[in-house]
Amino acid sequence: MLLRFTFFFLLLLAAAMQPSVADDGYRLWLKYDRVADASLRAQYQASAQFIVAEGQDVVLRTAAAELQRGLQGLLDQSVPVLNQAEKNSTKRGIILRIDPTANVSAQTNTANVSGKKKTNSASAAKGSPEGFQIATQGGNLVVSGRSGAALLYGVFALLRQLQTRQPLANLALTSSPRIQYRLLNHWDNPNGTVERGYAGSSIWKWQELPERIDPRYEDYARANASIGINGVVLNNVNASARYLTPEYLRKVAAVAGVLRPYGIRVYLSVLWAAPKVIGGLTTSDPLNPQVQQWWAHRTDEIYKTIPDFGGFLVKANSEGEPGPQDYGRNHADGANMLARALGQHDGAVMWRAFVYQAGSGDRFKQAYEEFQPLDGKFAPKVLVQVKNGPIDFQAREPFHPLFGAMPRTPLMLEVQLTQEYLGFATHLVYLGPLIKECLMADTYAKGPGSTVAKVVDGSLENHAVSGIAGVANIGADRNWTGHPVGQANWYAFGRLAWDHTLSPAAIAEEWTRMTLTQEPAAVRSITQVLNESRSIYVRYTTPLGLHHIMGQNLHYGPEPWLTKSARPDWTAIYYHRADSVGLGFDRTAMGSNALALYAPALRQRWGSPATCPPDFLLWFHHLPWGQKLSTGRPLWDELCTRYYTGADSVLWMQRQWAAVQPAVDAELHADVAARLQVQHREALWWRDACVLYFQTFSRRPIPAPFPKPIRSLAEIKEQVAIYQLR
Ligand code: BDP
């Protein structure tokens, strides 16, 4: 009996020692768990004995509340928010101060996670009202900036110092966003589904609004503000007209009310045909006075309901969506009409360049052909929003040739955080390196150093406005992003949108420490996995510049054998062009000549297989199977090597992840471990599907030391076809 009792007691004790709630990922990178190191905690406690918030701004109040909440958790002590008069001069604390004269220039010091300081050169964001400064004055830490939002960003930066266990003594930090509009684009539909969303249904509960405000909206706002996101487009670019009705505008206003105290404005995607669909007009022609009036009136109504409304995002004449071309007008006619409708209101028109109808040639060139001639024709409130690459969010694309080719138009960069072509929420793919690769790409528009980043931040052409958008990977799943590591993509987007000079590796480390563990060896291993993950994914899916060979419609898994679709440029063979001679799309002057859209320096480098980087080879060249590459191997052997080593690298990711098990929350660890198993199984699909299919053209053996796939091409086709069934 005693024995049984003791056993029961021990069981109870063991249960009590487990954390009562496992980490379900809901808190993202804002965990604010107690700093375990007692001496470091004591140092922090000494510097943060009170908070003073000087000023009345609503966002400032949010900043003070967030600081209090963060300190409460991290320091495990409550820190009072005092007014000036209550401040006790013997204590040290944190002062939040709105200073209308603050000019946080772009001479920016950003203390990164390793404590190193970087000095950045001037940028278009000079003197941004969102810039902040943290300085030590009279023993206190003073966070200052011109606006409440600046202080909110400063507070999150300060908390980040604690979350990544950096010292606070003599802290001096200055930071200013380089890009003005930093937006998430939700592709969320009114019925709660999310286009290309893999983390459950939409977080926006339109039926319940405006009366019921899901508490989650505020947590969403906190997360966005913590990484500097200042705008969100609430609905899908394939837009419903519903959002422009008074009924829905009240709902939108309710969401805006939650986001406003976090410095975030709401935007809407609009359906071009709205004047017809909900306005009772017979046309949506942008040059028709009634249509113009309808938009102007509707826009005024929007601003009456939502005074800080951000503006419109438009997908027009793209993939079947209506647009000005339906009336013989062009994109500038459409965009400028909306800009006029905005009138004196402080808003922007974000007009997407994701179109591929012009001509009948290479899809690669079509957006360029439609938009480049319109350079200089857009009204000042218009920004043209361009995807990172010319095709569509592939795992690796050369930068979009419009960057650098429209000097008189502010170009926004659109990247995808939801992993439509990158393994959904199943494959671990950290996108920091992908985004950074695009930002750092040199367009040579004004000589060497004319990077995409400088086009986008407006500094290359001195544009007054600048913007960047990330297609959100957020859904109603408890952990927001389905794959726990998907959170890192949301995080990295915000950090790079704020400061594109940050390194994706430093951001990955920062995120890991804030989200997963502080244990140094584990931080290193996880960061390594994150940093390698995107190039691993490229290797086992689309190495050497292959692209668009994924499963039809679903965009998941391999389907290189796809020969028929509604449009030729939706098939796989259109892109890989495999034949008995070789593989790849000839975009040189001998082929589609898409290369001519780039600056001479790039045309030259990418135009010759000898100098074209292996990562882009098959984007621009149709090469013989036996062609010797710069790696020393013939094309076929190199292709197989990449598919095999890529798939094997997923096993490496699994081992790295297994090794960090003691340092990471058990539930979260098991979740990622299981997803990595799926990832390996599917990496083998990709490998086998692609090597066996391309082998029917190359007629060459799988090179040593790699084993032949154990299944046949027919078997793997059957396997992946299951996923295409309705
Ligand atoms: C493609 C998606 C499609 C989107 C489209 C877009 O497959 O669902 O509507 O992009 O960006 O990648 O408009």
Side-chain angles (χ1 to χ4, degrees):
M1 177 67 188
L2 183 68
L3 210 88
R4 211 190 290 161
F5 184 76
T6 315
F7 179 68
F8 185 64
F9 177 76
L10 282 175
L11 263 184
L12 271 182
L13 192 72
M17 284 169 65
Q18 294 291 323
S20 53
V21 187
D23 191 346
D24 59 12
Y26 183 81
R27 295 177 301 157
L28 297 159
W29 48 88
L30 299 175
K31 296 205 156 80
Y32 301 150
D33 286 336
R34 191 173 81 132
V35 174
D37 177 336
S39 89
L40 186 62
R41 194 168 71 245
Q43 281 174 40
Y44 289 157
Q45 284 168 342
S47 322
Q49 298 174 59
F50 62 82
I51 298 166
V52 168
E54 298 176 0
Q56 282 313 312
D57 184 89
V58 55
V59 187
L60 171 64
R61 282 205 293 279
T62 312
E66 186 70 31
L67 184 58
Q68 191 177 34
R69 173 182 184 155
L71 293 174
Q72 163 85 52
L74 288 156
L75 311 188
D76 198 15
Q77 80 177 13
S78 62
V79 182
V81 180
L82 310 175
N83 59 40
Q84 253 315 350
E86 294 167 329
K87 200 174 74 186
N88 176 338
S89 60
T90 62
K91 291 192 169 170
R92 288 192 288 148
I94 301 168
I95 300 171
L96 308 181
R97 178 178 296 154
I98 293 192
D99 174 1
T101 64
N103 183 10
V104 184
S105 78
Q107 194 61 20
T108 303
N109 285 327
T110 346
N112 66 15
V113 280
S114 40
K116 286 183 209 121
K117 291 195 175 149
K118 277 198 215 126
T119 302
N120 302 319
S121 59
S123 85
K126 187 164 181 184
S128 160
E130 297 178 310
F132 64 84
Q133 203 163 12
I134 305 177
T136 311
Q137 280 172 21
N140 296 317
L141 280 168
V142 179
V143 185
S144 59
R146 292 216 300 273
S147 65
L151 297 195
L152 183 59
Y153 299 135
V155 158
F156 279 115
L158 180 58
L159 287 169
R160 197 180 299 130
Q161 293 289 114
L162 276 68
Q163 290 176 281
T164 54
R165 310 295 188 257
Q166 306 299 306
L168 286 187
N170 298 320
L171 185 62
L173 210 81
T174 309
S175 190
S176 187
R178 288 166 181 276
I179 297 176
Q180 182 187 348
Y181 294 110
R182 304 177 300 278
L183 264 63
L184 279 188
N185 287 184
H186 285 265
W187 285 0
D188 297 21
N189 297 313
N191 67 1
T193 58
V194 180
E195 172 134 1
R196 310 301 176 185
Y198 313 106
S201 53
S202 171
I203 56 170
W204 311 119
K205 309 253 178 69
W206 296 110
Q207 308 295 340
E208 301 173 357
L209 285 160
E211 289 84 0
R212 181 176 179 273
I213 308 279
D214 191 321
R216 192 161 188 159
Y217 302 158
E218 188 164 356
D219 290 325
Y220 165 85
R222 288 176 60 231
N224 276 336
S226 77
I227 51 177
I229 287 170
N230 63 4
V232 296
V233 181
L234 296 174
N235 62 315
N236 192 356
V237 286
N238 302 317
S240 159
R242 263 193 227 194
Y243 298 93
L244 296 173
T245 62
E247 176 81 7
Y248 265 68
L249 285 173
R250 279 192 292 277
K251 298 170 188 275
V252 173
V255 175
V258 182
L259 306 189
R260 187 171 298 118
Y262 289 87
I264 299 168
R265 297 166 78 184
V266 300
Y267 297 67
L268 290 173
S269 295
V270 294
L271 174 70
W272 187 257
K276 278 167 76 180
V277 177
I278 53 169
L281 301 184
T282 52
T283 173
S284 299
D285 180 353
L287 302 194
N288 178 301
Q290 279 180 305
V291 170
Q292 296 171 352
Q293 256 170 31
W294 186 86
W295 279 108
H297 177 70
R298 194 47 54 125
T299 307
D300 287 343
E301 291 298 307
I302 295 176
Y303 277 90
K304 265 189 217 139
T305 325
I306 309 156
D308 57 350
F309 181 67
F312 301 122
L313 174 65
V314 192
K315 172 177 179 176
N317 294 119
S318 162
E319 300 189 325
E321 291 297 313
Q325 291 175 352
D326 304 348
Y327 306 94
R329 318 298 181 197
N330 64 33
H331 293 289
D333 295 329
N336 296 348
M337 188 272 287
L338 282 183
R340 269 197 308 280
L342 280 169
Q344 296 307 307
H345 301 298
D346 174 21
V349 176
M350 296 165 176
W351 194 273
R352 296 176 85 230
F354 177 66
V355 296
Y356 48 105
Q357 283 177 346
S360 54
D362 184 357
R363 173 170 164 187
F364 192 115
K365 303 185 343 190
Q366 291 166 358
Y368 186 102
E369 286 164 353
E370 269 185 54
F371 275 85
Q372 201 284 329
L374 299 176
D375 188 32
K377 305 235 159 66
F378 289 97
K381 279 176 186 262
V382 178
L383 297 102
V384 171
Q385 183 165 315
V386 183
K387 286 188 181 181
N388 57 289
I391 300 298
D392 191 6
F393 296 137
Q394 298 300 292
R396 173 171 273 128
E397 297 200 33
F399 72 86
H400 201 297
L402 279 173
F403 291 114
M406 295 186 69
R408 294 195 282 163
T409 312
L411 297 188
M412 283 180 74
L413 170 63
E414 177 180 315
V415 294
Q416 205 183 41
L417 311 176
T418 190
Q419 293 169 231
E420 175 180 359
Y421 298 95
L422 287 112
F424 293 7
T426 317
H427 294 221
L428 190 164
V429 185
Y430 169 56
L431 298 174
L434 185 158
I435 302 170
K436 181 78 176 188
E437 185 176 294
C438 176
L439 286 164
M440 290 302 101
D442 199 342
T443 69
Y444 291 90
K446 287 180 129 180
S450 310
T451 57
V452 171
K454 287 188 188 163
V455 174
V456 171
D457 73 14
S459 61
L460 194 67
E461 302 291 347
N462 274 320
H463 285 302
V465 291
S466 57
I468 185 165
V471 179
N473 59 347
I474 298 160
D477 276 5
R478 182 71 191 156
N479 72 4
W480 303 86
T481 54
H483 199 305
V485 177
Q487 295 179 1
N489 294 333
W490 180 6
Y491 184 82
F493 168 72
R495 300 286 287 134
L496 284 169
W498 179 275
D499 184 357
H500 53 66
T501 68
L502 294 177
S503 97
I507 296 172
E509 184 182 330
E510 200 174 81
W511 175 82
T512 302
R513 298 188 72 169
M514 292 163 78
T515 313
L516 298 177
T517 179
Q518 295 287 341
E519 207 275 305
V523 171
R524 262 196 309 280
S525 301
I526 297 169
T527 309
Q528 264 176 8
V529 167
L530 262 64
N531 290 334
E532 294 300 320
S533 60
R534 185 273 190 134
S535 62
I536 290 171
Y537 183 82
V538 171
R539 283 172 94 91
Y540 68 73
T541 59
T542 47
L544 293 172
L546 284 172
H547 50 283
H548 209 289
I549 57 171
M550 69 291 153
Q552 171 160 224
N553 300 330
L554 191 62
H555 299 170
Y556 194 74
E559 205 176 357
W561 44 80
L562 182 69
T563 51
K564 277 206 192 73
S565 191
R567 299 172 51 128
D569 54 10
W570 285 349
T571 67
I573 56 161
Y574 175 92
Y575 296 95
H576 64 64
R577 314 234 156 173
D579 57 21
S580 59
V581 178
L583 181 65
F585 197 134
D586 183 357
R587 293 190 166 104
T588 67
M590 310 289 288
S592 80
N593 206 16
L595 262 175
L597 309 184
Y598 290 100
L602 289 172
R603 234 182 277 166
Q604 212 183 0
R605 182 174 327 139
W606 293 348
S608 154
T611 51
C612 182
D615 285 339
F616 291 139
L617 261 185
L618 304 175
W619 271 101
F620 297 112
H621 300 279
H622 186 78
L623 296 181
W625 294 110
Q627 169 120 354
K628 192 86 166 280
L629 303 188
S630 57
T631 59
R633 297 186 192 94
L635 171 64
W636 169 251
D637 292 26
E638 185 63 39
L639 191 75
C640 292
T641 303
R642 290 188 184 216
Y643 273 116
Y644 276 84
T645 56
D648 280 352
S649 298
V650 182
L651 296 174
W652 168 80
M653 291 165 79
Q654 289 179 354
R655 287 194 300 275
Q656 295 273 108
W657 187 253
V660 304
Q661 205 259 339
V664 176
D665 173 83
E667 181 176 316
L668 202 142
H669 189 272
D671 184 344
V672 174
R675 285 174 207 264
L676 282 168
Q677 284 179 27
V678 184
Q679 186 170 349
H680 185 245
R681 174 160 54 79
E682 296 183 349
L684 294 178
W685 286 1
W686 271 98
R687 183 196 78 183
D688 292 356
C690 294
V691 300
L692 290 172
Y693 169 74
F694 290 128
Q695 195 177 36
T696 64
F697 300 94
S698 80
R699 310 237 159 251
R700 289 168 176 247
I702 307 284
F706 305 116
K708 263 177 52 185
I710 46 173
R711 52 194 151 193
S712 68
L713 180 57
E715 281 163 349
I716 185 75
K717 275 189 179 176
E718 204 175 306
Q719 175 70 51
V720 299
I722 296 169
Y723 286 75
Q724 301 291 337
L725 294 173
R726 293 178 49 121

